[in-house]
Amino acid sequence: MLVICDMMGIPRSEFSTVLRATNVILGAGDADRLGGRDDVLGALLEAGMQLTSLMNELAEHRRVHPADDLTSALVHANVGEDVLTPSELAPFFILLAVAGNDTTRTAISLGMQLLHENPDQRAMWQADPEGVTAAAVEEIVRAASPVTFMRRTVTRDLTLSGHQFHEGDRVVLFYGAANRDPRVFADPERFDVHRDPNPHVGFGGPGPHFCLGAHLARRELAVVFRQLFSRLPDIEVAAEPVYLRSLGIPLVGGVKHLPVRFTPTAASAGSS
Ligand code: HEM
């Protein structure tokens, strides 16, 4: 969330507003995320409006005072009809903030949990961060599959894997199931930090909707685990994860809490 806000040029003083609002949008089925409110719709609308006015005000400011951020680049872009209109900017920001918030956070938490359940894999990764990180990050995204599903509408009649689809049919893609397809992955239930090849679809399938933030997410996961291993090398899971409650099938398999314990090191002991 901090990285996305910094990229967009959102002032640091507004970070907590963005965090709270995106938590409401993705976790409206969980009372903890509603801060004591019981009208889900009202909370959702308020969160959407907060993010919209924040972005509109920032865009207005950047039109006159450009800075080195994405908002300035977007409002001053000169790419003909592909440019985002003023009314599209806020929805784009909300999409970025929501798509990049719980996803990466959940991948980090479930990654920690997977390492806890597979100490041999953790030992291999921790002993060789340079050599293992890239493959381990892909394996976390495959095994955790933080985005649960997306929905599509079939645009033409076709037969796929022996199943007939008709134009207009609504279908749901369950990423976690595809990422455990035994026809694609050897021993799919095994968490293997060296898995290769690893053609997972945790960031979506090939095509125009492939995750816009995949490179950023990969980098964030790599940095987080490298830093954890070097600064808090004995960090370990101290209790079961607490999952986000949902009104239906959750879009993101969010983890609300994952208690961990560690020995504070000199570098971390002084900071909060
Ligand atoms: C581990 C972290 C992440 C995972 C697992 C993930 C996964 C996904 C998935 C499955 C999709 C849907 C693809 C499809 O519809 O076929 C998606 C779309 C998207 N993601 Fe991510 N994502 C992650 C992080 C991020 C981050 C950090 C950002 C923002 C910087 C981001 C921005 C987006 C956007 C904007 C879309 C919509 C793309 C479109 O429909 O054109 N994601 N992501």
Side-chain angles (χ1 to χ4, degrees), residues 211-234:
C211 175
L212 186 71
H215 292 302
L216 177 61
R218 287 179 173 123
R219 172 57 63 94
E220 288 178 353
L221 288 169
V223 170
V224 162
F225 281 99
R226 250 192 343 249
Q227 290 294 324
L228 281 177
F229 291 154
S230 76
R231 292 167 66 173
L232 307 174
D234 66 354

Side-chain angles (χ1 to χ4, degrees), residues 17 25 27 53 62 81 91 97 102 134 147 157 163 168 177 213 236 242 249 264:
T17 309
I25 291 174
S53 48
R62 290 297 195 260
E81 61 184 21
D102 246 31
V147 174
D157 293 358
H163 187 92
E236 60 175 355
V242 180
I249 302 171

Side-chain angles (χ1 to χ4, degrees), residues 95 99-100 103-104 146-147 150 152 175 202-204 208-209 211-213 216-217:
L95 174 62
T103 48
T104 316
V147 174
M150 286 281 166
R152 292 286 196 274
Y175 297 108
F203 290 118
H209 292 291
C211 175
L212 186 71
L216 177 61

